[in-house]
Amino acid sequence: MRSYVSTVLVLGWALCTSSAFAPGAKLASQIDLLQSNNEQSTSTSLHAMTLYGSQGSRSPLVNWAANELELDLEMAGDLGRNPHPFGQIPCLTDDGDIMVFESGAILQYLQAKSKGDVAPDKSAAISSWISWANASLDPICFLETPDGKVYDTGLKSQNKRIAKLDDLLSDSSYLVDDEFSLADVAVASYLLYVIQFFPDVDLMRWPNIVEYMKACASREGYGKAFGDRVQGYCVSRLSEMQKSGGKEKKLFGVF
């Protein structure tokens, strides 16, 4: 399982830029082949939104959001027609003349498109968490060189913001009103990317976050967006952490 996920991530690694995992045509094509069994939430509706993305980028988190909101979403067949001003992914088009880029902005657009009535205070909270995930959590999860290449994760050591997040999750299963929302899609996606890129990282110093990640990764919408193998790997890896009780790092330190 780890070897498969690592293969996809090695390919996806080359797609990284400072603010998004950007595509390389051949690599994106290879990743799509590796994930051919992945069941994206798509629709052939003429009026469906279109997402320019690939499995090695951040675009599956957009699919996850669409799955949770039960929104129709098509995957673009030709990334060469991507209208993103910098040619990066993900990028979303809608109704022919609407274009949204940056994963956080896309999630907020999807939230606005959803049919359910969301109270203003809840909508504001969801929007705030989406922005926090992109502005504050991302730089903690992925440490970058000056030219934007990811070289490590900040989750290998103590962090006050992550400790606060763990404390918040001690009283609630999810981030907003104890109900799953796009706030969780945004935050959990980054956390779950960490254990895919850095499979040996141990997060059990934050047990509530580990339980939260496991609950989010276990959702049907996550599996449809990221694929059964990635979902199975994440759930299994988090279960291993819980069973070890945070002792993995100490064991590694012996050698």
Side-chain angles (χ1 to χ4, degrees):
M1 178 64 74
R2 287 197 193 184
S3 61
Y4 173 85
V5 174
S6 297
T7 301
V8 174
L9 291 172
V10 166
L11 291 172
W13 192 282
L15 308 181
C16 294
T17 65
S18 60
S19 62
F21 302 104
K26 291 184 178 179
L27 289 172
S29 180
Q30 290 172 336
I31 291 171
D32 289 338
L33 287 174
L34 283 169
Q35 291 279 9
S36 61
N37 70 319
N38 180 29
E39 297 178 4
Q40 295 283 7
S41 175
T42 60
S43 171
T44 57
S45 168
L46 294 176
H47 302 290
M49 294 175 288
T50 300
L51 177 65
Y52 291 82
S54 177
Q55 284 303 113
S57 72
R58 297 183 185 183
S59 61
L61 71 87
V62 177
N63 293 94
W64 184 15
N67 291 341
E68 297 290 351
L69 295 176
E70 298 183 346
L71 293 173
D72 292 333
L73 187 64
E74 291 180 346
M75 295 304 295
D78 183 6
L79 292 180
R81 302 182 65 180
N82 180 9
H84 190 297
F86 301 106
Q88 296 174 339
I89 53 176
C91 181
L92 183 82
T93 59
D94 192 17
D95 292 334
D97 58 354
I98 295 175
M99 187 268 290
V100 191
F101 60 93
E102 293 296 328
S103 58
I106 295 173
L107 292 193
Q108 297 199 49
Y109 181 78
L110 295 181
Q111 182 66 51
K113 288 273 293 187
S114 64
K115 299 176 182 178
D117 293 328
V118 180
D121 59 337
K122 184 173 182 177
S123 178
I126 292 172
S127 179
S128 295
W129 278 110
I130 291 173
S131 296
W132 182 81
N134 285 269
S136 299
L137 181 59
D138 182 8
I140 295 171
C141 290
F142 303 105
L143 303 179
E144 299 179 347
T145 63
D147 60 350
K149 293 182 179 180
V150 175
Y151 68 89
D152 206 348
T153 175
L155 296 184
K156 290 181 178 179
S157 58
Q158 293 285 0
N159 183 284
K160 291 182 179 179
R161 291 183 179 181
I162 303 303
K164 179 59 178 178
L165 178 62
D166 188 70
D167 183 57
L168 291 173
L169 289 169
S170 66
D171 296 324
S172 179
S173 298
Y174 299 110
L175 295 172
V176 179
D177 294 344
D178 205 18
E179 296 179 348
F180 187 87
S181 70
L182 293 202
D184 303 296
V185 169
V187 171
S189 289
Y190 285 115
L191 295 170
L192 289 165
Y193 275 129
V194 169
I195 64 172
Q196 295 172 58
F197 275 93
F198 305 99
D200 292 327
V201 68
D202 181 13
L203 305 180
M204 275 307 294
R205 58 167 56 89
W206 305 296
N208 299 311
I209 289 179
V210 171
E211 181 61 32
Y212 167 74
M213 292 169 64
K214 186 176 176 181
C216 291
S218 298
R219 294 182 67 86
E220 181 180 357
Y222 182 86
K224 286 183 177 179
F226 286 84
D228 292 339
R229 293 187 182 183
V230 170
Q231 181 181 47
Y233 166 77
C234 288
V235 173
S236 175
R237 181 70 189 102
L238 293 163
S239 295
E240 288 176 5
M241 289 184 201
Q242 291 177 318
K243 290 178 181 179
S244 73
K247 297 179 181 179
E248 290 185 11
K249 190 172 182 179
K250 295 180 180 179
L251 288 173
F252 290 143
V254 172
F255 301 97

